[in-house]
Amino acid sequence: MSVLSGPRPVSSVFREISAEDEEQQPAEIESLCMNCYENGVTRLLLTRVPFFREIIVSSFTCDSCGWTNTEIQSAGRIQEQGVRYSLSVRSKRDVNREVVKTDYATTCIPEIDFEIPACTQKGALTTIEGILERTIVGLQQEQPLRRAENAEVAKKIDEFIAKLQSLKDGETPFTFILDDPSGNSFVENPFAPQKDEDLTVTHYRRSKEQDSLLGIESSIGQQNSEEKKESDAEDLRDEVLQFQTNCPECNAPAATNMKLVQIPHFKEVIIMATNCEACGHRTNEVKSGGAVESLGTRITLHIIDPSDFTRDVLKSETCGITIPELEFELGMGALGGKFTTLEGLLKDIRDLVVDKNPFTLGDSCTSDRMEKLQEFGRKIDQILEGQMKVHLILDDPAGNSYLQNVYAPEQDPEMTVDKYERSFEQNEDLGLNDMKTEGYEENVTSCHC
């Protein structure tokens, strides 16, 4: 286990995937084969990919019986929100979409009442076809025994296998749902950076049961509530708070600074910035310091002048971004909360879609897809250079996003701000439909009586 031992810097433990990196060798461990109970070899590779960040790839091989097993485990942090992908599969091309599936992800096909619960399979980088094939093979393994013990059950399973085979071959349309409370799973969008009409991505807040599944203590919310009550008595507007955390890139100990800031003509926000001395990674995140607004906000800016790129932008984690001229739409939850300039926001979009897209690397990258993404990157550069005039739309159903009005307090001729009533689905995503804020004290009193 020479890869894992010794005083090696933390930043070099997880290395980028590269065929030219001669030092990137897996660690080999002699381990027991659970098939024949002879000794086999487990190989561990600690590496970093754009989407999963740090991952551990393990592969087991037994020379005695020939049994092999591979799996992927995420070594990165759990995301702040869970994610749910719903894909309408209509052809063989959709079945070939690549999927990143973690241990905590639940796979479901409603049309045939099919579900793979969380923590019943190891994480994998595969395709929808691969998931179905793995299920078919698993069901077929015990069929000879079932036919001998219970022919009726075996017949029903044969019928179910036939349905799965029809779905795998792309002969029958179906809905593929991948729900991961850890937020680390992914379903490929072959039309990126354009929106995929057949793919719906929803970010949501985890329940207490899901937090428990992920090993997150349920008492965290109570502790945060008590700390909030204590901090209400203090004026923290002129003070920078600091707390210890781990770097999201190299996992080394780092310090995060947090400050309450009043944005002119808007509201108070909490800005958090992390600077890692081990690898030099820097990141900032913005949280709203107020409540969810009664109305959603849609901000539309016509970018016509280079000076527009210096405007301050506050993008909350519930805000979606649309650029109609590029047929580009970024759902809420992507990029997280940010307080930056318009130029910085466009560069972050380009990095997310082009540079940090996991399907632009290795065998998963095709020339057509790469050309699309590079063309999108060139258009973003043209916008930043002032060669293309476009509209940027910030749509925040929580009403907590902001775009600087350089003419304030007068109206900006190139910017419109629209307030709108949220839909039921938007309130559901924000967790507002089940929230009761009226007559709460009366209900509590009546319960005690």
Side-chain angles (χ1 to χ4, degrees):
M1 294 182 62
S2 59
V3 174
L4 303 178
S5 60
R8 192 172 183 178
V10 177
S11 59
S12 62
V13 172
F14 294 91
R15 303 171 68 88
E16 299 286 349
I17 294 179
S18 174
E20 300 177 357
D21 190 353
E22 297 180 356
E23 297 183 10
Q24 192 179 35
Q25 298 295 331
E28 296 188 356
I29 307 171
E30 186 176 353
S31 52
L32 180 67
C33 174
M34 301 307 296
N35 188 47
C36 68
Y37 300 102
E38 297 291 335
N39 285 338
V41 177
T42 297
R43 294 175 176 84
L44 296 176
L45 180 63
L46 281 67
T47 187
R48 182 186 295 115
V49 295
F51 176 74
F52 253 153
R53 298 191 180 181
E54 298 88 5
I55 65 170
I56 301 174
V57 182
S58 64
S59 174
F60 175 81
T61 304
C62 179
D63 293 333
S64 300
C65 66
W67 190 67
T68 60
N69 182 34
T70 60
E71 65 179 80
I72 296 175
Q73 294 182 353
S74 175
R77 63 178 181 177
I78 295 173
Q79 303 301 313
E80 293 187 2
Q81 293 183 321
V83 64
R84 184 177 187 269
Y85 293 89
S86 179
L87 173 66
S88 179
V89 180
R90 303 181 180 181
S91 63
K92 183 65 175 179
R93 179 181 178 183
D94 291 331
V95 177
N96 291 330
R97 293 196 189 209
E98 297 188 6
V99 176
V100 177
K101 178 181 177 295
T102 69
D103 298 1
Y104 304 107
T106 299
T107 306
C108 178
I109 301 177
E111 287 81 356
I112 58 173
D113 293 329
F114 170 74
E115 180 176 328
I116 303 176
C119 301
T120 57
Q121 291 183 354
K122 297 297 182 180
L125 174 59
T126 179
T127 62
I128 297 178
E129 181 181 8
I131 293 176
L132 295 175
E133 178 63 26
R134 185 176 180 180
T135 303
I136 292 173
V137 172
L139 291 174
Q140 288 176 338
Q141 286 179 347
E142 301 295 330
Q143 278 299 82
L145 180 61
R146 293 191 189 99
R147 291 190 180 96
E149 295 180 350
N150 194 327
E152 185 178 352
V153 173
K155 181 180 179 181
K156 291 182 179 179
I157 293 181
D158 282 334
E159 294 174 355
F160 188 75
I161 291 175
K163 292 180 181 179
L164 290 176
Q165 187 66 44
S166 175
L167 300 184
K168 184 176 78 75
D169 295 337
E171 299 173 356
T172 305
F174 64 95
T175 304
F176 178 81
I177 299 175
L178 186 67
D179 192 328
D180 187 357
S182 74
N184 285 327
S185 290
F186 190 81
V187 175
E188 177 191 6
N189 174 9
F191 306 102
Q194 278 75 35
K195 181 181 179 181
D196 187 347
E197 298 297 336
D198 294 329
L199 180 63
T200 302
V201 184
T202 306
H203 296 267
Y204 60 87
R205 295 182 181 179
R206 288 184 290 269
S207 64
K208 292 182 180 180
E209 292 76 12
Q210 290 172 326
D211 282 339
S212 178
L213 175 67
L214 299 174
I216 302 176
E217 297 182 4
S218 59
S219 60
I220 291 179
Q222 297 177 356
Q223 293 176 0
N224 291 339
S225 178
E226 293 175 359
E227 292 173 359
K228 181 180 179 181
K229 291 179 181 178
E230 294 176 0
S231 64
D232 285 342
E234 303 175 6
D235 188 3
L236 303 178
R237 289 171 178 78
D238 297 326
E239 183 178 354
V240 178
L241 303 180
Q242 187 178 85
F243 57 92
Q244 297 300 315
T245 183
N246 290 338
C247 174
E249 287 294 327
C250 68
N251 210 34
T256 296
N257 297 322
M258 181 174 68
K259 191 176 188 300
L260 190 65
V261 177
Q262 175 67 47
I263 296 181
H265 308 288
F266 190 53
K267 61 171 69 175
E268 288 182 338
V269 297
I270 300 172
I271 298 180
M272 296 185 291
T274 303
N275 183 13
C276 179
E277 297 180 356
C279 67
H281 176 73
R282 295 183 179 182
T283 182
N284 68 79
E285 190 172 357
V286 177
K287 300 287 186 182
S288 173
V292 175
E293 297 293 326
S294 58
L295 297 175
T297 303
R298 184 180 295 105
I299 305 173
T300 303
L301 174 67
H302 189 197
I303 304 174
I304 60 173
D305 189 86
S307 62
D308 289 329
F309 299 118
T310 62
R311 294 179 186 241
D312 290 331
V313 178
L314 170 63
K315 177 200 171 296
S316 76
E317 58 187 10
T318 58
C319 179
I321 302 174
T322 303
I323 304 177
E325 287 80 0
L326 303 186
E327 297 182 358
F328 173 76
E329 183 175 340
L330 188 69
M332 71 180 209
L335 286 178
K338 285 187 174 291
F339 184 51
T340 179
T341 61
L342 186 57
E343 178 183 11
L345 182 63
L346 291 173
K347 288 182 177 179
D348 288 340
I349 292 175
R350 181 187 60 192
D351 292 342
L352 177 67
V353 174
V354 182
D355 299 334
K356 297 182 180 180
N357 192 324
F359 298 108
T360 62
L361 303 174
D363 296 338
S364 63
C365 178
T366 62
S367 58
D368 292 343
R369 182 185 305 162
M370 193 62 185
E371 178 60 31
K372 277 185 184 179
L373 296 175
Q374 289 178 347
E375 177 64 22
F376 178 81
R378 287 192 290 268
K379 289 182 179 179
I380 292 292
D381 291 335
Q382 291 175 3
I383 295 173
L384 293 172
E385 293 169 1
Q387 300 176 9
M388 180 182 292
K389 298 179 180 180
V390 297
H391 290 80
L392 179 76
I393 302 174
L394 301 178
D395 192 342
D396 188 353
N400 287 326
S401 293
Y402 164 83
L403 182 59
Q404 182 184 9
N405 176 5
V406 294
Y407 297 91
E410 303 296 329
Q411 185 176 358
D412 190 329
E414 302 300 334
M415 184 172 73
T416 58
V417 180
D418 299 319
K419 300 289 184 178
Y420 62 88
E421 292 282 350
R422 286 185 290 268
S423 65
F424 178 86
E425 290 75 15
Q426 289 174 322
N427 282 328
E428 187 73 16
D429 292 338
L430 297 175
L432 300 178
N433 288 332
D434 299 326
M435 185 180 297
K436 183 174 180 58
T437 58
E438 298 178 357
Y440 178 75
E441 294 181 356
E442 298 177 359
N443 290 338
V444 172
T445 303
S446 61
C447 289
H448 284 295
C449 293

